[in-house]
């Protein structure tokens, strides 16, 4: 799960998908394309909205996406088109490119829909992001 800062959207996506799969079968992680929040906790608003839905994401710490992630992961879900462009810039071959997908393709195929960045907005943005990611993760689980 990849976003820009790895403190708002992708930590939520990581926590949600982890809650829906068996960790012995499927390894889920998240990262940001930027480095500003490396080592930091998720945004308090993401921690709070996760808690409202019964998830604890306060064990996560920010990290930056690296080219090695193309080797370590089978699927790379990006939150928006900007993240997608940044990740694709680090791809080295067609196999890498094929791993990268907008997460909302799961709900709106071929519509090129972004998960909006809630960082500069209010609490309500986090609830709507949570709902989108929860629905998208249900579809991912079906596919896995
Ligand atoms: P995220 O949100 O990409 O969903 O984690 C952001 C968090 C921090 C910043 C931008 C987006 N920032 O500019 O610091």
């Amino acid at each position: 799960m990849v976003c820009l800062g790895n403190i708002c959207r992708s930590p939520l996506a990581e926590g949600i998908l982890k809650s829906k799969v068996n960790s012995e079968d499927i390894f889920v992680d998240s990262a940001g394309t930027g480095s500003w929040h490396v080592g930091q906790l998720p945004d308090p608003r993401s921690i709070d909205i996760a808690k409202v839905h019964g998830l604890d994401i306060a064990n996560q710490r920010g990290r930056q996406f690296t080219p090695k992630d193309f080797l370590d992961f089978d699927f790379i879900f990006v939150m928006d088109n900007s993240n997608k462009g940044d990740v694709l810039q680090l791809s080295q071959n067609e196999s890498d490119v094929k791993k990268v997908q907008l997460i909302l393709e799961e709900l709106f195929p071929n519509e090129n829909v972004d998960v909006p960045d809630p960082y500069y907005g209010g609490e309500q943005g986090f609830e709507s992001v949570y709902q989108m990611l929860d629905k998208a993760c249900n579809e991912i689980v079906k596919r896995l």
Side-chain angles (χ1 to χ4, degrees):
M1 301 297 189
V2 180
C3 63
L4 176 60
N6 192 210
I7 56 168
C8 295
R9 293 166 292 178
S10 60
L12 274 176
E14 176 187 334
I16 292 167
L17 188 57
K18 272 184 173 160
S19 76
K20 297 177 190 288
V21 298
N22 183 338
S23 63
E24 288 182 11
D25 298 332
I26 295 171
F27 179 67
V28 183
D29 197 13
S30 66
T33 55
S35 61
W36 312 284
H37 301 288
V38 169
Q40 293 181 12
L41 283 163
D43 187 286
R45 296 164 295 178
S46 281
I47 293 176
D48 286 350
I49 207 69
K51 203 177 284 173
V52 165
H53 293 278
L55 302 179
D56 180 5
I57 63 166
N59 57 333
Q60 297 183 30
R61 296 293 181 276
R63 74 171 182 92
Q64 188 171 23
F65 184 87
T66 77
K68 185 171 175 289
D69 287 314
F70 284 111
L71 299 175
D72 292 341
F73 293 91
D74 298 309
F75 301 96
I76 298 170
F77 294 103
V78 292
M79 299 296 127
D80 65 32
N81 277 280
S82 172
N83 311 147
K84 188 176 179 182
D86 290 340
V87 166
L88 286 177
Q89 281 220 322
L90 299 175
S91 66
Q92 290 185 316
N93 52 51
E94 198 51 33
S95 160
D96 290 353
V97 170
K98 280 191 184 140
K99 292 181 179 184
V100 183
Q101 184 201 303
L102 283 175
I103 192 166
L104 290 186
E105 282 283 310
E106 297 291 332
L107 301 177
F108 311 108
N110 303 314
E111 291 188 38
N112 211 25
V113 183
D114 291 341
V115 177
D117 188 344
Y119 185 62
Y120 295 105
E123 306 279 335
Q124 186 49 39
F126 283 78
E127 173 61 20
S128 72
V129 164
Y130 184 94
Q131 294 300 334
M132 286 174 212
L133 294 175
D134 189 53
K135 290 188 179 75
C137 286
N138 285 339
E139 296 306 313
I140 292 169
V141 169
K142 283 185 205 164
R143 221 146 50 82
L144 292 175

